[in-house]
């Protein structure tokens, strides 16, 4: 009997369970900042507030909810650059989404830090 494959991962991976699912469900910690960023994108798609907050660095974690409203539809992710530097890293990405039938792009350069072997999102800037 064949094992059923999980659905495709929203971040662009073939298999959610083997891609971001293992980080979001807590089986594994993302080993690199770009994989954490992909799993956070997937958590936004799934509106998984607890995972988003748990992977946001305590020094910059907002108190208010961070998962987007129900009217937002995420369409895809492109990771443009991952620059690891010891326990810090930057990840440049473009995420596409629709709100009210209008398409938008979120282009961000995100900063990450690793503490006690776990990566955390710190903040991001938006290039011109």
């Amino acid at each position: 009997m064949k094992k059923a494959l999980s659905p495709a991962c929203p971040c662009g991976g073939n298999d959610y369970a083997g891609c971001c699912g293992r980080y979001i469900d807590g089986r594994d910690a993302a080993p690199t900042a770009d994989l954490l960023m992909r799993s956070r994108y997937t958590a936004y798609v799934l509106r998984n507030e607890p995972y988003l907050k748990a992977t946001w660095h305590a020094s910059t974690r907002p108190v208010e909810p961070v998962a987007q409203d129900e009217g937002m539809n995420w369409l895809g992710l492109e990771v443009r650059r991952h620059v690891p530097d010891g326990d810090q890293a930057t990840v440049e990405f473009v995420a596409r989404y629709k709100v009210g039938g209008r398409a938008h792009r979120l282009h961000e350069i995100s900063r990450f830090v690793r503490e006690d072997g776990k990566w955390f999102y710190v903040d991001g800037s938006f290039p011109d």
Side-chain angles (χ1 to χ4, degrees):
M1 187 163 152
K2 279 186 158 181
K3 180 181 174 187
L5 291 176
S6 69
C9 191
C11 82
N14 292 330
D15 172 37
Y16 171 77
C19 191
C20 293
R22 63 190 172 146
Y23 308 131
I24 291 172
D25 72 12
R27 283 182 285 147
D28 295 313
T32 61
D34 62 325
L35 291 175
L36 179 65
M37 196 284 309
R38 287 178 172 282
S39 69
R40 286 178 52 81
Y41 169 83
T42 297
Y44 273 107
V45 172
L46 301 175
R47 294 177 179 86
N48 186 322
E49 184 81 17
Y51 183 78
L52 291 167
K53 291 283 182 99
T55 57
W56 205 309
H57 194 267
S59 68
T60 57
R61 184 183 307 131
V63 175
E64 67 275 358
V66 295
Q68 300 298 323
D69 63 73
E70 296 292 322
M72 181 175 274
N73 182 27
W74 293 98
L75 303 172
L77 174 68
E78 173 193 356
V79 175
R80 291 193 171 171
R81 195 168 44 109
H82 172 227
V83 182
D85 184 16
D87 286 336
Q88 299 180 27
T90 58
V91 178
E92 181 178 3
F93 69 91
V94 175
R96 296 177 299 104
Y97 63 97
K98 272 190 178 181
V99 175
R102 291 196 60 201
H104 302 274
R105 291 171 14 111
L106 171 66
H107 183 187
E108 183 175 319
I109 299 173
S110 300
R111 290 187 319 129
F112 294 85
V113 296
R114 182 172 45 200
E115 292 180 353
D116 298 324
K118 291 181 72 172
W119 285 99
F120 294 93
Y121 171 78
V122 177
D123 60 20
S125 61
F126 307 99
D128 297 332

